[in-house]
Amino acid sequence: MTADDFTRFDHILALDPQNLADLRRLAPAGATARLALLLDHVPGREGQGVADPWTGTAADFDTTWTDVTAAVPGLLRVVT
């Protein structure tokens, strides 16, 4: 992330609450991008982070993929 990204993009998505907090701290004055969690676009999942499958099993990657794809319809409603 660079300071320019906060005005260059309309939306910046984080995958977990800690990353969102970090982005908010990095955002310069005058930032115009809307910061949100990816799962904020899934009804009932607002405020939740996508599970990090890095040290898990193949099933954990499937869970992450399911979460990410569940957010797509809601995200499309926001950006189109």
Side-chain angles (χ1 to χ4, degrees):
M1 294 295 307
T2 67
D4 291 341
D5 292 336
F6 291 93
T7 53
R8 190 172 134 206
F9 298 108
D10 294 329
H11 301 271
I12 298 174
L13 301 173
L15 296 183
D16 66 52
Q18 182 59 57
N19 291 143
L20 181 59
D22 292 342
L23 287 168
R24 287 184 172 142
R25 270 194 306 281
L26 289 171
T32 55
R34 291 181 219 134
L35 305 177
L37 290 168
L38 180 63
L39 291 181
D40 286 349
H41 300 284
V42 179
R45 302 287 308 272
E46 298 87 348
Q48 296 179 18
V50 173
D52 184 352
W54 184 250
T55 60
T57 66
D60 295 321
F61 281 88
D62 290 340
T63 299
T64 299
W65 181 250
T66 298
D67 284 350
V68 169
T69 57
V72 171
L75 181 58
L76 285 174
R77 280 192 292 278
V78 171
V79 300
T80 57

